[in-house]
Amino acid sequence: MANLAAKRPLILEIKGNSLDDGPGIRSVVFFKGCPLACVWCHNPESRNPAAELAFDPPKCVDCGECRKICPDRALSRNHPEYVARSKCRLCFLCTDVCPSGALERVGRTMTAAEVLAEVLPDQPFFDVSGGGITLSGGEPTLYMDFASELLRMARRHGLHALLETCGCFDLPRFMDLLYPHLDAIYYDLKIMESAAHKAFCGLPNERIIDNFKALLTAARRDGKLLLPRTPLVPGITDGEANLRAVAAFLSGLGVNQAALLAYNPLWHEKSRKLGIDDPLKGDPAMSAFGDGARLERGRAIYREMGIDPTG
Ligand code: SF4
Ligand code: SF4
């Protein structure tokens, strides 16, 4: 992936009133672009740093306006997915004329000031709940300069700031540009065996592991929250061997709390709207929401190994 650190990201969404992305009520800023390529990514629209065209068939009222305006004849009722992606040049003219929102541009250009302006109206809710702003994605650390500017502005308004990260970043730049402006970091540890991490997430995990250790030292020194998190993906991350390996790694570092995240299969539907190849489509194990039994099995392993499981 090209070096994006100095570039302005596309923003996928600014989601207010979130209760799932840190303490209290939060506004979550989703960045577009990620260095990993997890096969189960629950936000597939966040992987590609470039803008994308989404088509949602149930919303289409078949008015034909998009077919009339498309300069590349990329839209056809005869095409199985309606959008012939190989012909589409991503001009987004069709999204301007679509009356129902069936065709949508995914990813918008914003300045840090514009992002903050959308977040600040919720500050009264942050103040009463202990919430704040969360940077998520995708991977905000792909855009160090932009994220740093946004965090510094948020801090000037007294907002609690949290980052959700895959841990795959340049550590010196992170410590210089982002770390000083963060109160808390939620840090993904998905797969402990590096070859399996590469197979399922696109890159080996040594950098992620090394960054976690360095951040843990800094967070302990500075009294910041560093919460490791593992998504329970059926047959990939939720096996006993992997969960024991994560727990052993953490307890070896003296960490006694970590989150386990229930699996969410809605990414299949999101992939379909974007025309993203989904090799796991139709796999029954990957099509159901994570159940309580699976979560409880993971929690039991963590407790047995001295880790207090949250989530
Ligand atoms: S984005 Fe442009 S080229 Fe692609 S389908 Fe829409 S109008 Fe056609
Ligand atoms: S403009 Fe929108 S509603 Fe009309 S045919 Fe195209 S996708 Fe469907």
Side-chain angles (χ1 to χ4, degrees), residues 169 171-172 174-176 178-185 187 209-227 253 255:
F169 51 71
L171 184 68
F174 179 90
M175 296 308 288
D176 184 32
L178 301 192
Y179 179 80
H181 314 299
L182 289 165
D183 297 291
I185 300 161
Y187 196 106
I209 297 294
D210 289 347
N211 283 351
F212 182 82
K213 290 178 186 169
L215 265 186
L216 182 64
T217 301
R220 281 178 169 151
R221 178 193 65 214
D222 301 327
K224 301 192 186 206
L225 172 65
L226 175 63
L227 181 69
L253 295 171
V255 175

Side-chain angles (χ1 to χ4, degrees), residues 108-130:
R108 56 180 164 146
T109 307
M110 300 180 78
T111 65
E114 287 167 341
V115 171
L116 192 69
E118 283 200 25
V119 168
L120 281 178
D122 281 349
Q123 189 164 14
F125 301 107
F126 306 157
D127 292 343
V128 295
S129 67

Side-chain angles (χ1 to χ4, degrees), residues 53 66 69-75 82-85 87-95 103:
L53 179 66
C66 56
I69 204 165
C70 177
D72 294 315
R73 298 180 182 276
L75 303 167
Y82 192 60
V83 183
R85 303 277 170 183
K87 292 185 183 173
C88 172
R89 71 172 87 164
L90 296 173
C91 68
F92 300 111
L93 289 172
C94 56
T95 63
L103 285 161

Side-chain angles (χ1 to χ4, degrees), residues 76-244:
S76 169
R77 277 179 293 193
N78 295 325
H79 191 280
E81 272 111 43
Y82 192 60
V83 183
R85 303 277 170 183
S86 60
K87 292 185 183 173
C88 172
R89 71 172 87 164
L90 296 173
C91 68
F92 300 111
L93 289 172
C94 56
T95 63
D96 292 339
V97 298
C98 179
S100 66
L103 285 161
E104 275 189 325
R105 178 192 169 109
V106 179
R108 56 180 164 146
T109 307
M110 300 180 78
T111 65
E114 287 167 341
V115 171
L116 192 69
E118 283 200 25
V119 168
L120 281 178
D122 281 349
Q123 189 164 14
F125 301 107
F126 306 157
D127 292 343
V128 295
S129 67
I133 186 171
T134 295
L135 274 49
S136 185
E139 179 54 42
T141 64
L142 276 183
Y143 308 94
M144 292 276 193
D145 292 339
F146 181 96
S148 181
E149 183 186 5
L150 176 58
L151 288 171
R152 280 185 279 115
M153 289 167 50
R155 297 289 266 191
R156 281 201 287 275
H157 287 270
L159 301 191
H160 179 276
L162 187 149
L163 171 75
E164 294 179 336
T165 180
C166 70
C168 196
F169 51 71
D170 180 298
L171 184 68
R173 278 180 59 75
F174 179 90
M175 296 308 288
D176 184 32
L177 290 170
L178 301 192
Y179 179 80
H181 314 299
L182 289 165
D183 297 291
I185 300 161
Y186 283 8
Y187 196 106
D188 286 358
L189 294 172
K190 299 179 174 91
I191 300 173
M192 288 308 290
E193 210 268 305
S194 189
H197 196 282
K198 184 172 182 192
F200 288 110
C201 301
L203 289 174
N205 68 2
E206 282 80 4
R207 184 185 221 187
I208 295 167
I209 297 294
D210 289 347
N211 283 351
F212 182 82
K213 290 178 186 169
L215 265 186
L216 182 64
T217 301
R220 281 178 169 151
R221 178 193 65 214
D222 301 327
K224 301 192 186 206
L225 172 65
L226 175 63
L227 181 69
R229 306 189 306 175
T230 301
L232 293 172
V233 184
I236 299 179
T237 68
D238 73 343
E240 181 169 345
N242 186 54
L243 294 181
R244 284 194 183 279

